Amino acid sequence: DVEQYTGAKRTLLTDLHESAFDPSAKNLFVTRTFEDENGKERYTIYKLDAKTLDVLAKNDLEEDYAANGIAVDNKGQVWVTNADNGTISVYRQSDLTHIKTFAIDISHPKSIVIDNKNNLAYVGAAEGKITVLDINQERPIGTIELDGFESVASLSYDEQTNQLIATSGTRETQQGTFTKPQVAKVDLAHGKKVDRYDVKNTDAVLGAAYNPVSKNIFVATDESVLTVINSETKKVITTIDTGADTTDVRYNPKDKRVYAVNTGAGTLSV
């Protein structure tokens, strides 16, 4: 299916970070981290029309809310991780107004995805840990550990096949050592079996999405391209040009589109 993809790009704002897609309403939700004119970090959540990429709503967050990862549920809510203080905030999808914030015992939660069928959230964080949350009770109920991951930079989830996709982030660790940039596919339907895929010729893998039909994984690298890896052969099929500093990618199975957030360019590629 790779040959079917044609590119479209829309200039938005610089420093966009992670995204989440709501197929029922055809909306895209994006987090942004940026410095204001005084050098202070600010955080904003955007709601976009997935077809036109027009801004439908936004929420400029208060100082204590360092929005990073973002996900949507089927109850009209947006879930956002606040990496600096280890909390999760919930907003209304309609207008992005704040509903609640609750604390979790997770160090630097960077990414979140929702399993609506089982009322679970998976939160990626430091030390290669993915925490499983019961979103009804708002508490952790388990952990998935990915050896060799300095951190879990991003997560994506395929509801159809119950597959969780995780990326390892930058090659250089906080200790100054180096790890292999890689993607992990966690088969939640079969005992959390983990398959790993090395991504060569890059210093970072910052986002990934899975197409359950083709079995392809679309990997966002710091090389301004998406690297497409077949999960069965573990071979690179092709690369797709995007924009500077692609940090996140999402796949919509309904329209078979891939959405890539290009942080450095301030664009979103489709």
Side-chain angles (χ1 to χ4, degrees), residues 31-98:
T31 56
R32 182 188 182 212
T33 304
F34 63 100
E35 286 189 359
D36 64 15
E37 62 275 9
N38 298 316
K40 197 168 188 176
E41 280 201 331
R42 299 292 185 183
Y43 302 88
T44 301
I45 306 170
Y46 291 91
K47 175 183 178 180
L48 309 176
D49 182 291
K51 187 175 182 179
T52 65
L53 302 183
D54 291 333
V55 176
L56 303 178
K58 74 169 186 172
N59 187 334
D60 295 315
L61 304 180
E62 296 178 12
E63 188 173 331
D64 292 339
Y65 296 91
N68 200 316
I70 188 168
V72 296
D73 63 21
N74 59 2
K75 301 178 180 66
Q77 299 177 134
V78 181
W79 297 68
V80 177
T81 61
N82 303 307
D84 287 354
N85 58 16
T87 62
I88 292 179
S89 296
V90 183
Y91 303 85
R92 290 187 178 89
Q93 289 183 26
S94 57
D95 57 5
L96 298 180
T97 55
H98 180 259

Side-chain angles (χ1 to χ4, degrees), residues 39-260:
K40 197 168 188 176
E41 280 201 331
R42 299 292 185 183
Y43 302 88
T44 301
I45 306 170
Y46 291 91
K47 175 183 178 180
L48 309 176
D49 182 291
K51 187 175 182 179
T52 65
L53 302 183
D54 291 333
V55 176
L56 303 178
K58 74 169 186 172
N59 187 334
D60 295 315
L61 304 180
E62 296 178 12
E63 188 173 331
D64 292 339
Y65 296 91
N68 200 316
I70 188 168
V72 296
D73 63 21
N74 59 2
K75 301 178 180 66
Q77 299 177 134
V78 181
W79 297 68
V80 177
T81 61
N82 303 307
D84 287 354
N85 58 16
T87 62
I88 292 179
S89 296
V90 183
Y91 303 85
R92 290 187 178 89
Q93 289 183 26
S94 57
D95 57 5
L96 298 180
T97 55
H98 180 259
I99 299 173
K100 60 184 174 181
T101 294
F102 59 93
I104 52 174
D105 188 19
I106 300 175
S107 175
H108 301 291
K110 293 184 176 182
S111 187
I112 183 170
V113 292
I114 303 291
D115 173 1
N116 287 301
K117 183 178 180 180
N118 297 300
N119 292 309
L120 298 175
Y122 295 89
V123 181
E127 299 176 354
K129 292 182 179 180
I130 302 171
T131 299
V132 187
L133 294 179
D134 181 319
I135 60 177
N136 288 334
Q137 299 184 29
E138 300 175 0
R139 66 178 184 87
I141 59 171
T143 302
I144 301 169
E145 297 193 17
L146 299 175
D147 295 337
F149 275 47
E150 169 73 4
S151 67
V152 178
S154 75
L155 292 171
S156 64
Y157 175 68
D158 179 64
E159 191 174 59
Q160 179 181 334
T161 58
N162 207 15
Q163 305 289 317
L164 187 65
I165 309 297
T167 63
S168 62
T170 57
R171 191 164 70 93
E172 186 173 3
T173 69
Q174 292 181 349
Q175 291 75 31
T177 58
F178 292 88
T179 61
K180 290 182 179 180
Q182 58 183 307
V183 178
K185 180 167 71 70
V186 184
D187 189 347
L188 300 172
H190 298 91
K192 300 177 183 176
K193 178 179 177 289
V194 178
D195 290 319
R196 297 170 182 266
Y197 309 88
D198 292 336
V199 184
K200 299 179 180 179
N201 303 317
T202 183
D203 288 328
V205 285
L206 301 173
Y210 180 64
N211 180 341
V213 177
S214 66
K215 307 293 177 64
N216 290 335
I217 302 174
F218 297 86
V219 184
T221 73
D222 63 350
E223 303 298 327
S224 301
V225 297
L226 293 181
T227 298
V228 185
I229 301 173
N230 184 268
S231 63
E232 293 187 331
T233 66
K234 296 191 175 183
K235 292 182 178 180
V236 173
I237 297 175
T238 189
T239 58
I240 302 171
D241 292 335
T242 52
D245 299 327
T246 305
T247 57
D248 190 54
V249 56
R250 300 293 161 183
Y251 175 71
N252 177 18
K254 290 192 175 182
D255 62 12
K256 297 181 180 179
R257 288 183 174 182
V258 175
Y259 297 83

